Amino acid sequence: MKEFDFGTNLGGAWFPAPIFTASGCASSGKELAQFFALKDIGAVVTKSVMTKPRYGRPTPRMAETPSGMLNSIGLQGPGIDSFLANDVPWLLEQKARVIVSIAGETVEEYSTLARKVRGISGISALEVNISCPNVENRGLVFACDPEASRRVIDGVRKTIGGEIPIIAKLTPDVTNLPSIASGVVDAGADGLALINTVLGMVINLETLRPHLGGKTGGLSGPAIRPVAVRAIYQVHEALPNTPILGMGGVSSGRDALELILAGASGVSVGTASFGSPTAIPTIQNELRDLLIAKGFNSLKQAVGYAHREVS
Amino acid sequence: MKEFDFGTNLGGAWFPAPIFTASGCASSGKELAQFFALKDIGAVVTKSVMTKPRYGRPTPRMAETPSGMLNSIGLQGPGIDSFLANDVPWLLEQKARVIVSIAGETVEEYSTLARKVRGISGISALEVNISCPNVENRGLVFACDPEASRRVIDGVRKTIGGEIPIIAKLTPDVTNLPSIASGVVDAGADGLALINTVLGMVINLETLRPHLGGKTGGLSGPAIRPVAVRAIYQVHEALPNTPILGMGGVSSGRDALELILAGASGVSVGTASFGSPTAIPTIQNELRDLLIAKGFNSLKQAVGYAHREVS
Amino acid sequence: MSAINKSAQQFLATIVSNKRVGQYHQIILQVGEIVAACKPGNFIAIAVGGDNSRMILRRAFAISRTSHTASFGGTLELIVAPHGSGSKWLCQQQEGVELDVVTPLGTAFGIPTEPVNALLVGGGYGSAPLFGLAEVLKSRGCRVDMLLGASTGQKIYAPMEGKRAVNSLRIYTEDGSVGERGRVTDPMWAMIEDGSVDVIYSCGPMAMLRAISDLVNDSDVVHQCAVEEAMACGIGICMTCVLPVKNENGSTSMLRSCIDGPVMDGSTVQWDLVGQIPEASQ
Amino acid sequence: MSAINKSAQQFLATIVSNKRVGQYHQIILQVGEIVAACKPGNFIAIAVGGDNSRMILRRAFAISRTSHTASFGGTLELIVAPHGSGSKWLCQQQEGVELDVVTPLGTAFGIPTEPVNALLVGGGYGSAPLFGLAEVLKSRGCRVDMLLGASTGQKIYAPMEGKRAVNSLRIYTEDGSVGERGRVTDPMWAMIEDGSVDVIYSCGPMAMLRAISDLVNDSDVVHQCAVEEAMACGIGICMTCVLPVKNENGSTSMLRSCIDGPVMDGSTVQWDLVGQIPEASQ
Ligand SMILES: Cc1cc2nc3c(=O)[nH]c(=O)nc-3n(C[C@H](O)[C@H](O)[C@H](O)COP(=O)(O)OP(=O)(O)OC[C@H]3O[C@@H](n4cnc5c(N)ncnc54)[C@H](O)[C@@H]3O)c2cc1C
Ligand SMILES: Cc1cc2nc3c(=O)[nH]c(=O)nc-3n(C[C@H](O)[C@H](O)[C@H](O)COP(=O)(O)OP(=O)(O)OC[C@H]3O[C@@H](n4cnc5c(N)ncnc54)[C@H](O)[C@@H]3O)c2cc1C
Ligand SMILES: Cc1cc2nc3c(=O)[nH]c(=O)nc-3n(C[C@H](O)[C@H](O)[C@H](O)COP(=O)(O)O)c2cc1C
Ligand SMILES: Cc1cc2nc3c(=O)[nH]c(=O)nc-3n(C[C@H](O)[C@H](O)[C@H](O)COP(=O)(O)O)c2cc1C
Ligand code: FES
Ligand code: FES
């Protein structure tokens, strides 16, 4: 019997397994290393980093909701220089595959960040989180604006050249996701990350005001899984040749399989790690067993399988 | 002590209490009448009706998801003539307040429906469900298209005149909800119903294909409550004088209060009735007790309270 | 008030006992006076998972038998297969636990006014409501034959007391582990042909119900089947549970299997259209 | 491997006992050898609601005391207030139930190397970790005084055995139902002024911790406080639990109270900035 092939490919980068951390849900990896070896999972996607150090948003920064949670962290972080000098070398020492996520407030900031990332070797891919407010356009989120999305990716593409794959991370909070997706692919994205959190709010019934310091927050967790599956399915249908890194509410192997069948070549696990620090290796093992039980010889065979006609 | 005032007003129509059924989640009322008296709740919002009888979508039409469900009913119904001849008179006989929900495939169909509704007396308001595919524009949902949304409401406004309030029901699956909302208000909507279901999908792990007959479906239930609260808050902020009928994941009095504080003048309860046929009167009682416990003298005082500065 | 589900109520029912029987759980619920309104074919809808459950919909189960006991008053018996998370949760609940239930729901099996020859056909836990039905039919002087089938013997539910209520019982399993190897439909054609059957009552997987409908198609045998469609509400308000049913005038309606069923006239169900949409309009 | 939470593990812990004590529940968990790594100040994160829970995040509880018994091996004691749905669920779980836990998490109270005069101040269930701490301090030759406060007597947690470990114990309630009417901070200024306190260890509501910090501000007294911020992950990966803390160079960092706390140096926490964002960058 041929051995089961669990490896996956995202725009040229190869990973031995398809389950990754989700940006912002694993910090820079150190904290999870106590619970499992980072090299055993597909890759560590690091928290979106900006040019300068950032304090983020005021607390409270989270609210639990039915089968989900809201967060409004506001991209607190050390800034790209400290991140590249300290966090990336540590991750590479652990033999983890590293996907660096960057976030900016202007088209220019993304290019600057990409240039700095390009200078470091050993990074597997660049995730470009464009679900951030564009300060040059009334704070409108880049990924909500087809033109701004394209410009960000175009700038990053020109900076990065062909060195590492560029994965554009999109928000589901748009009227026409496939059109935003094809815009960024035209601009040079090698892959897409779907989905970022869904915009939500909780009112605190003690204060009678929005609970989060940032008022609105991003909804994640199992509650949004059907939205993630739909988004991945729609985009895979429109762009069958563009690899997708799927995410949104995955907390078991069967959840991950849903996203893969819909069209994801890899799956990031975010909120589930908050509920269980060992969620990622557990999900990865469950997925492998499930794929084998369903008769697949490789992960690749299962990617987008839900689109095929029933024979 | 002054008596607590639980009444509410939606674009001119008055209701003795603020909890309503949600369109499509109470059929035409008869089925719930076994569990409570329809006259005791704010109003019955009937299932969106079209001009002709409709079979709807193929089964399976539902999938349970974490703290939510997907449905793809596809507006099965008897058609407007049978509906107005049979269902409305029965509801009026029960002394229920009736909000008729209409749905169309063309701008013209909405006007036709509105004309027929205008001919019947005793109806409290008209809910115009524009979260339907527009057959004249590649099936693009009306409420995803600012121009089509405006044209539907404009047509209905001209037909209805000022006889009964028009409430436009919007989908949250858009990039800029406040702009769609202000477009339909400009076109003549007296109020807004927020939110319709969120587009989602579930893959069946036995067949490895989309579970629903209609492939995608609408996500409802507690999972989407944070999205509803955010949508209502955003739209109330943009249009503080437009009454909102809120809905999305309400299954207790505290949930209803969240929507009201965010800006809803009335609250429809949909999916919760599937889990419990007595959900609506229970929620209505809980809400009343909670408002009184929080020190409000009237429902009206609480509407949009979360927007006020903390003193 | 309307005529739909006119005896139905939502209330708390206490589990009186919960026993494993083969691959099923026999669960007895204390329900009080409402037991008198529960007829064979009706079902009960149960909230699952407790207060903090992420499962927001009720689960439907056929009422297997009803009784009145001195110690518990009116009780209902359910036969539950631990299938997914909701039914597994239910099977784990112990004696004394209170369940939030809505019952009696849906249509009941029609009981003939005159004594007839009745054939009761059950697949898997589909046999559950047939034993209660058998008792009623016997009390009306009917002859009651029963055919039960399942993939394997562990999935045959046929309690001792139940067997006493029928004139004959034959069991079929696909693996031959209990009874004869084969399917319940195997002997049916012969029984229909020799005129020993007036009415068939069936409950089980949709494929079985369809096969029976096909068999009786050209005969005079009446076929009442209890269908099982995925239900979100169980009370007629969501339209998820529809089945294509032929009207008198030849047109097709999508009827709700929760209120126009679960018991339906097998000859009117358009089995070939299940999961599809009729082309013409109603 | 990294140095963060280096003794922490995720495992199933069995409830050995669950007793109501005033308005709290005292819950004892069997945890095995890991008990040796649990220090006063550390906390445990518990998954709540069972398999089908709509609550997806763990709940954090201070480890009140640890022990080694012949019958159960290593055990942890928790004092749980039934607050919202998660803690209420926990308080309802019976002996024998297995809980999914992660522990020991976070920083511990610093133990002085020389005997000192220690004042332990607890608000509500905040007294829980102080009794375990008191035992450690006593064994190092410290003098241990304790002040406990709450709104009402039912919310004072002060077990018999605990009382034996301290040199003095004074209780304050706002309604005067137990001990003196007033707040724990009332007698503190005098105690600090007469030099009878070297270190204060505090645990309780943020307002109490802040009030104590303000009191000791101009003194030489060291103040170690266990903070309580809403935590999504408890292990340092989500950044929800941050507090503004002053660095040596005068700048402010937003530190994670789950891994850089819960025990923090009260003099470095910028209490006036809690819930806000420092203006300058780090
Ligand atoms: C009228 C009626 C009578 C029934 N009688 C019995 C009985 O006597 N004994 C018994 O064991 N089962 C019976 N069933 C099936 C039972 O309702 C399902 O097994 C149960 O709902 C599965 O829930 P779950 O959470 O375990 O599975 P999941 O697959 O996790 O359920 C997910 C969702 O799908 C629905 N669903 C899944 N399978 C079925 C199914 N087969 N039929 C309907 N809905 C389904 C569930 O209700 C739920 O909403 C009956 C169903 C109906 C409609
Ligand atoms: C380090 C630490 C130690 C703690 N020690 C104890 C203890 O020994 N005994 C005790 O009774 N409680 C303790 N708490 C508080 C306890 O974690 C909360 O009461 C509990 O999380 C409330 O959950 P719930 O589901 O009952 O309430 P809900 O209000 O329904 O919880 C909703 C969400 O908010 C969070 N949350 C709510 N209140 C608090 C709070 N006060 N602190 C932190 N998060 C909160 C919950 O974790 C959950 O994610 C501690 C908290 C922390 C951070
Ligand atoms: C606390 C938190 C912080 C996050 N931070 C980031 C971030 O910095 N960059 C990013 O692209 N996505 C961020 N996300 C989104 C996640 O990467 C992921 O897209 C989303 O949470 C859906 O996956 P999940 O349901 O598995 O969490 C964050 C999510 C959470 C919950
Ligand atoms: C089964 C089902 C059918 C629905 N049908 C309609 C409909 O016909 N017209 C409409 O405007 N909304 C329809 N909706 C949307 C609801 O009215 C409501 O906007 C949505 O479900 C959110 O509320 P909830 O979470 O309380 O269910 C339907 C929802 C469900 C679950
Ligand atoms: S299950 Fe809702 S209509 Fe039948
Ligand atoms: S709770 Fe997640 S970082 Fe502290």
Side-chain angles (χ1 to χ4, degrees), chain A residues 22-24 47-48 71 75 129 169 195-196 220-221 247-249 270-271:
Chain A
S23 178
K47 172 141 190 78
S48 299
N71 86 80
L75 297 175
N129 173 9
K169 183 157 176 181
I195 57 174
N196 215 314
S220 64
M247 63 208 67
T271 306

Side-chain angles (χ1 to χ4, degrees), chain A residues 183-225:
Chain A
V184 298
V185 169
D186 287 347
D190 301 293
L192 298 165
L194 300 168
I195 57 174
N196 215 314
T197 53
V198 176
L199 198 65
M201 180 185 274
V202 159
I203 310 280
N204 180 318
L205 291 193
E206 297 305 317
T207 64
L208 307 177
R209 300 295 186 298
H211 178 76
L212 298 176
K215 288 191 182 176
T216 58
L219 184 62
S220 64
I224 66 165
R225 196 172 63 236

Side-chain angles (χ1 to χ4, degrees), chain B residues 157-174:
Chain B
R157 174 84 285 161
K158 290 196 174 117
T159 315
I160 283 283
E163 306 228 336
I164 55 172
I166 297 171
I167 301 168
K169 182 157 178 182
L170 306 181
T171 168
D173 290 327
V174 294

Side-chain angles (χ1 to χ4, degrees), chain B residues 62-65 69 211, chain C residues 23-25 41-44 46 48 55-64 77-91 105-106 124-129 203 226-234 241 257-258 261-263, chain D residues 52:
Chain B
M62 75 101 177
E64 197 184 45
T65 67
M69 66 171 279
H211 178 74
Chain C
Q23 293 195 3
Y24 305 121
H25 279 248
N42 289 157
F43 68 96
I44 185 169
I46 305 181
V48 291
M55 296 180 281
I56 61 165
L57 303 174
R58 281 169 195 268
R59 302 315 195 239
F61 299 94
I63 295 171
S64 170
E77 178 197 68
L78 314 179
I79 303 304
V80 179
H83 165 78
S85 47
S87 51
K88 280 182 187 148
W89 177 88
L90 188 59
C91 290
L105 294 172
Y125 55 74
S127 62
C203 184
V227 301
E228 190 183 304
E229 269 293 331
M231 295 179 178
C233 75
C241 62
S257 57
C258 65
V263 179
Chain D
N52 301 301

